[in-house]
């Protein structure tokens, strides 16, 4: 058990609650100039919003606020699979970061920081725990950065943000599209809904290493010829050259594994995930997400947040809600996102949260890209 210093005093009394039951444990994926100012956008000076969003109010249907964005500095947030026992330790030394975990405990009903620091690993790796854990730890990393001597100036320089799958919610919270609390409630429900959808079908994921995306698609097409429609596979994560994740029915994944060598793949790696994320297998989760999103106040982000679904920024709150609901059944367009940002002139990136998954992916896309890791 890790010995750690006392936490900062809470601002109000908390009621102890027992942890709710959770689904079976799972090990998860581990992949190998500012926007033009407008009177609608509020300056970002406060910490991550915990009550009122600081995003901009825009007319319904106006989704072009960031059409001509020119990125220079980006905050990038990791997704499921970046979690590791011990994360969150640095939050103990920064009051604002520690307070985020206290707020999370009240929403989740269990001691999240204790799980992050002490584990056990199997519990932290579960979909229903890891998603809230990464969301909170990543936003705590923003506060850890803010506490540095140059931290606030770095934060002020950020003019675009995005996150890998789950990380898109973190990016939206940082950009003021919704409050910390509302974002955590969405992430909690997302993890539960994805776990339930996975439990309802016999599905799986595998990484295909050493092929370009066109060859991986051909491999999927060949595998699909040998299985029933309900077992078919597709590319679920376009991560970086030579690393693409495929999702689908277990028999379809087995067919991919059997045929991979004939397509000159270096290897396939079966991913220890709950199910076929970012495919139609997650459709049962969509309606639950739609209901939760409809009841959540979402505002236009103060800076561009790049969507996983289409690699584009969106400013209209209704469009953002639709995109987030679609995200769980849509392939993650991370490679396109990164290449677009670099092509538009991105100079510096920061990965905020546990692990260095995103840094590794970006270096695979462009070895010369500048990225710094900020943990919590």
């Amino acid at each position: 058990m890790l010995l750690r210093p006392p936490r900062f005093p809470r601002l109000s009394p908390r009621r102890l609650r027992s942890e709710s039951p959770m689904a079976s444990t799972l090990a998860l994926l581990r992949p190998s100039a500012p926007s033009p100012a407008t009177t609608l956008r509020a300056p970002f000076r406060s910490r991550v919003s915990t009550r009122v969003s600081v995003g901009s109010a825009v007319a319904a249907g106006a989704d072009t606020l960031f059409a001509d964005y020119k990125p220079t500095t980006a905050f990038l947030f990791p997704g499921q699979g970046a979690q590791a026992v011990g994360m969150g330790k640095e939050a103990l030394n920064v009051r604002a970061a520690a307070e985020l975990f206290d707020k999370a405990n009240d929403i989740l009903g269990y001691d999240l920081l204790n799980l992050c620091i002490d584990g056990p690993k199997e519990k932290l790796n579960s979909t229903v725990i890891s998603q809230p854990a990464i969301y909170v730890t990543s936003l705590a990393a923003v506060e850890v950065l803010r506490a540095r001597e140059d931290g606030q100036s770095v934060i002020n320089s950020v003019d675009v943000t995005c996150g890998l799958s789950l990380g898109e919610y973190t990016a939206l919270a940082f950009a003021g599209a919704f409050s910390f609390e509302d974002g955590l409630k969405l992430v909690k429900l997302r993890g539960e809904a994805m776990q339930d959808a996975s439990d309802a079908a016999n599905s799986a994921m595998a990484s295909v290493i050493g092929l370009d995306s066109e060859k991986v698609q051909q491999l999927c097409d060949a595998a699909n010829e040998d299985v029933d429609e309900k077992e078919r596979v597709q590319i679920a994560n376009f991560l970086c050259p030579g690393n693409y994740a495929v999702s689908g029915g277990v028999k379809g994944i087995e067919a991919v594994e059997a045929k991979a060598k004939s397509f000159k793949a270096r290897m396939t790696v079966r991913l220890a995930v709950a199910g076929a994320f970012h495919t139609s297998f997650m459709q049962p989760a969509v309606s639950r997400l739609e209901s939760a999103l409809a009841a959540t106040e979402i505002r236009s982000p103060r800076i561009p947040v790049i969507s996983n679904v289409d690699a584009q920024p969106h400013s209209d709150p209704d469009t953002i809600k639709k995109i987030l609901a679609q995200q769980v059944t849509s392939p993650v367009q991370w490679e396109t996102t990164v290449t677009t940002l670099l092509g538009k002139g991105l100079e510096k990136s920061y990965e905020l949260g546990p692990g260095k998954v995103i840094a590794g992916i970006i270096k695979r896309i462009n070895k010369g890209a500048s990225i710094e890791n900020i943990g919590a």
Side-chain angles (χ1 to χ4, degrees), residues 104-168:
N105 293 348
D106 288 344
I107 292 170
L108 300 172
Y110 55 83
D111 191 333
L112 180 64
L113 184 58
N114 182 67
L115 276 173
C116 288
I117 294 178
D118 296 327
K121 176 181 177 180
E122 294 76 18
K123 198 168 190 177
L124 181 61
N125 280 349
S126 70
T127 299
V128 295
I129 300 293
S130 63
Q131 292 199 19
I134 293 167
Y135 171 86
V136 176
T137 304
S138 296
L139 290 174
V142 175
E143 300 305 330
V144 170
L145 172 61
R146 195 190 307 277
R148 287 188 351 189
E149 184 176 352
D150 64 339
Q152 189 61 57
S153 63
V154 170
I155 292 170
N156 291 345
S157 73
V158 175
D159 50 24
V160 69
T161 183
C162 54
L164 184 56
S165 189
L166 158 72
E168 186 170 340

Side-chain angles (χ1 to χ4, degrees), residues 129-366:
I129 300 293
S130 63
Q131 292 199 19
I134 293 167
Y135 171 86
V136 176
T137 304
S138 296
L139 290 174
V142 175
E143 300 305 330
V144 170
L145 172 61
R146 195 190 307 277
R148 287 188 351 189
E149 184 176 352
D150 64 339
Q152 189 61 57
S153 63
V154 170
I155 292 170
N156 291 345
S157 73
V158 175
D159 50 24
V160 69
T161 183
C162 54
L164 184 56
S165 189
L166 158 72
E168 186 170 340
Y169 286 77
T170 319
L172 285 163
F174 170 75
F178 42 66
S179 69
F180 168 80
E181 290 93 340
D182 283 347
L184 180 56
K185 291 172 185 177
L186 288 172
V187 166
K188 176 179 182 291
L189 180 139
R190 181 181 188 266
E192 293 167 350
M194 291 176 71
Q195 180 65 60
D196 291 344
S198 298
D199 291 343
N202 193 20
S203 61
M205 293 183 72
S207 283
V208 180
I209 309 299
L211 297 181
D212 61 27
S213 58
E214 183 178 352
K215 281 290 187 181
V216 176
Q217 183 59 57
Q218 292 173 6
L219 172 58
C220 289
D221 292 341
N224 288 337
E225 291 178 359
D226 293 349
V227 298
D228 294 338
E229 184 175 356
K230 66 180 181 179
E231 298 284 348
R232 288 181 178 175
V233 297
Q234 68 179 66
I235 301 176
N237 290 337
F238 291 83
L239 294 174
C240 61
N243 188 350
Y244 301 96
V246 173
S247 288
V250 169
K251 290 183 179 178
I253 294 296
E254 290 172 348
V256 166
E257 293 167 336
K259 295 175 181 291
K261 288 295 183 182
S262 66
F263 280 81
K264 309 300 183 186
R266 185 156 63 87
M267 69 175 74
T268 61
V269 180
R270 182 72 71 95
L271 302 176
V273 297
F277 295 165
H278 297 290
T279 70
S280 59
F281 281 87
M282 293 294 106
Q283 189 61 41
V286 173
S287 60
R288 291 172 65 181
L289 273 171
E290 287 175 336
S291 296
L293 287 162
T296 302
E297 180 186 1
I298 294 185
R299 296 168 62 84
S300 178
R302 60 183 180 84
I303 59 175
V305 179
I306 311 303
S307 165
N308 281 248
V309 173
D310 60 7
Q312 297 292 327
H314 297 280
S315 55
D316 173 47
D318 288 337
T319 300
I320 292 171
K321 290 181 180 184
K322 291 176 183 177
I323 288 285
L324 288 177
Q326 293 170 9
Q327 193 217 56
V328 292
T329 58
S330 302
V332 173
Q333 303 293 339
W334 190 252
E335 184 178 2
T336 299
T337 294
V338 174
T339 54
T340 299
L341 289 174
L342 293 172
K344 282 179 169 285
L346 183 68
E347 299 171 2
K348 175 75 175 182
S349 297
Y350 295 84
E351 178 178 9
L352 295 104
K356 298 182 179 180
V357 172
I358 289 178
I361 292 173
I362 287 182
K363 289 295 185 179
R364 287 289 301 273
I365 295 173
N366 186 328

